[in-house]
Amino acid sequence: MTIDSMMRDELGSPYADGAPRTAEREQARSELDLMSDAMVEERGLLNHAQAGLLLGVSVKRIGELVRLGKLRRFDFLGRTYVSVREVRERYHQELKAGRPKRGLAQSAVASVKAALKTDAAQAKLGGYAGPYEKAKRKRKAK
């Protein structure tokens, strides 16, 4: 027994006896072929960090978009990717962060609802706007 084989045996490697890794290589090659086909169809693949950088969002948000079905997930060779085509489409939509602004009617309804929920103590302090807003109005009046 050579020193090299003794060291492999001590490490407990499943390949210490020289067993070929052909099955793993075949699986990796077939995944590589599938990845190549997906890259052609999707115009490339990006990891989550790259997609986040291009869209201006966090890696966590990219994962959330994948879970929500907004971006398609590709798993190859132990890594996760998203489609360049879908990232480009999402980029060109120029989506803005946050909740969309309410219209005039929606704002009025929300104000009335908030006013109806104002109790007596709040009303003494200036309504649902609070003492800060009341003091600000007094300063403007001067």
Side-chain angles (χ1 to χ4, degrees), residues 94-107:
E94 295 181 8
L95 300 172
K96 294 182 180 167
R99 193 176 287 221
K101 290 195 173 189
R102 293 180 178 168
L104 186 60
Q106 288 176 325
S107 294

Side-chain angles (χ1 to χ4, degrees), residues 39-53:
M39 287 183 82
V40 169
E41 185 178 322
E42 300 296 326
R43 297 185 183 165
L45 298 175
L46 299 169
N47 63 34
H48 286 201
Q50 292 168 327
L53 180 66

Side-chain angles (χ1 to χ4, degrees), residues 103-134:
L104 186 60
Q106 288 176 325
S107 294
V109 169
S111 295
V112 169
K113 283 183 180 179
L116 291 174
K117 291 181 181 180
T118 302
D119 61 13
Q122 277 182 318
K124 281 183 184 178
L125 294 173
Y128 64 90
Y132 172 76
E133 290 295 326
K134 187 176 179 183

Side-chain angles (χ1 to χ4, degrees), residues 36-113:
S36 179
D37 293 341
M39 287 183 82
V40 169
E41 185 178 322
E42 300 296 326
R43 297 185 183 165
L45 298 175
L46 299 169
N47 63 34
H48 286 201
Q50 292 168 327
L53 180 66
L54 292 172
L55 291 176
V57 298
S58 68
V59 174
K60 192 173 183 178
R61 176 65 178 151
I62 296 296
E64 187 178 2
L65 291 171
V66 168
R67 279 191 304 282
L68 292 171
K70 308 273 184 184
L71 294 175
R72 197 164 134 208
R73 176 185 175 135
F74 294 90
D75 292 312
F76 296 113
L77 302 170
R79 308 257 184 210
T80 303
Y81 302 95
V82 292
S83 165
V84 169
R85 182 181 50 78
E86 290 176 353
V87 168
R88 277 188 179 164
E89 287 171 5
R90 191 154 183 89
Y91 177 79
H92 289 300
Q93 289 175 357
E94 295 181 8
L95 300 172
K96 294 182 180 167
R99 193 176 287 221
K101 290 195 173 189
R102 293 180 178 168
L104 186 60
Q106 288 176 325
S107 294
V109 169
S111 295
V112 169
K113 283 183 180 179

